[in-house]
Amino acid sequence: MLVFNCTKAAAEFFSVTRKGEVLSCLEAAPIKTMAESVAAPVFPLDVEPQEHDGTQWHWVVHCVTVKRKKYLLVMDYVSRYCLIFLATKKGDEIDFLNMFEKMMVSNFMFLANKKGVDSVEADLALARYHDKFITCAFHPRGDRSVQGHLNEVAWHLEQQCYEDGMLVMPNEFIDFSVFMGKFPRNAKGRSSHFFANDVFIDSWLHDLDIEDGPVDTTNLVYLSDYRK
């Protein structure tokens, strides 16, 4: 299950007012902190945990405005890898999810190719992802440590836009995410500094373990199709 924890700015982005009524996909988080949710996942009543191997993948969503353009920063809670893309339609979580998944898969493919990951292993990791993460939840919830890293990304994004031009193309967003993933980071509970690029790709290859059991390959995405 994908869990999107939204900062105040992101919560406003996901909210729209129609006929005087505020509409939003956000629901109160079942647990106060993300750390507690990662340690002991709590699923909505209408979600069967066994269908998701009891797994939740937590992301933090933030929204910033640079030169009148809105950008969404979506950071993986564990690896601190940050996906960046232009804001989708306000209040439309489906549009957001489509763009999020497109960018996440593209970033994974880029890093896997750069690291020399065997294409079969990468394809199976993608299939495992599609097999395990079939639902999601949006919560108004932040994390001080992640916010600090998001602020750093936002600062570099602003510098990039003002000094070298706005980011608008998919390959530009991937390059920027990989650039930000090269900065050494630290976080509570970590014994040493780490690099987001390394932890993100390792999460795909190890947390989405291809030895978990049979994989539903009906949604298999072949990396070779994207490298032509």
Side-chain angles (χ1 to χ4, degrees):
M1 179 180 185
L2 296 171
V3 180
F4 297 102
N5 302 278
C6 301
T7 67
K8 182 179 179 180
E12 292 176 354
F13 173 77
F14 283 115
S15 302
V16 293
T17 302
R18 295 196 178 101
K19 296 182 179 180
E21 180 182 3
V22 177
L23 304 177
S24 174
C25 60
L26 275 66
E27 298 180 342
I31 302 177
K32 183 178 181 180
T33 69
M34 275 175 255
E36 291 174 305
S37 289
V38 171
V42 175
F43 289 82
L45 295 177
D46 59 346
V47 173
E48 182 59 46
Q50 284 75 12
E51 294 181 5
H52 308 272
D53 296 334
T55 300
Q56 290 183 345
W57 193 345
H58 284 262
W59 296 79
V60 182
V61 187
H62 190 42
C63 183
V64 298
T65 302
V66 182
K67 298 176 73 172
R68 297 186 178 181
K69 281 189 178 294
K70 287 187 179 297
Y71 289 92
L72 292 176
L73 312 181
V74 191
M75 182 170 281
D76 177 14
Y77 175 79
V78 173
S79 73
R80 305 301 165 92
Y81 190 82
C82 190
L83 306 176
I84 301 100
F85 47 91
L86 285 170
T88 51
K89 184 178 178 182
K90 181 176 172 60
D92 190 337
E93 69 272 20
I94 302 302
D95 198 22
F96 164 80
L97 288 170
N98 288 334
M99 181 58 71
F100 163 80
E101 185 160 278
K102 178 180 179 181
M103 290 303 299
M104 182 176 62
V105 170
S106 296
N107 275 263
F108 165 68
M109 291 190 299
F110 181 88
L111 288 172
N113 187 39
K114 188 173 183 179
K115 193 173 182 177
V117 175
D118 180 79
S119 61
V120 173
E121 183 180 4
D123 291 340
L124 288 173
L126 282 171
R128 174 61 69 187
Y129 162 78
H130 286 295
D131 195 44
K132 292 179 71 171
F133 297 98
I134 58 176
T135 190
C136 66
F138 291 82
H139 301 312
R141 180 169 59 175
D143 179 271
R144 182 176 298 178
S145 175
V146 177
Q147 187 64 54
H149 291 148
L150 282 168
N151 291 343
E152 180 185 10
V153 173
W155 186 87
H156 281 279
L157 175 62
E158 184 171 355
Q159 295 302 304
Q160 163 70 34
C161 291
Y162 276 97
E163 295 179 5
D164 300 312
M166 303 294 286
L167 298 181
V168 293
M169 302 300 293
N171 63 300
E172 294 174 337
F173 289 120
I174 294 173
D175 289 343
F176 186 77
S177 290
V178 172
F179 166 72
M180 291 305 309
K182 294 178 180 178
F183 286 80
R185 302 197 180 282
N186 57 24
K188 185 177 180 180
R190 305 287 185 92
S191 59
S192 61
H193 285 75
F194 60 94
F195 295 90
N197 289 350
D198 296 333
V199 181
F200 181 68
I201 196 70
D202 287 345
S203 296
W204 274 91
L205 300 177
H206 299 139
D207 293 351
L208 295 172
D209 193 344
I210 63 174
E211 297 181 356
D212 283 349
V215 176
D216 178 3
T217 59
T218 56
N219 290 317
L220 192 63
V221 178
Y222 290 95
L223 294 180
S224 57
D225 292 340
Y226 289 86
R227 292 174 181 160
K228 293 178 180 179

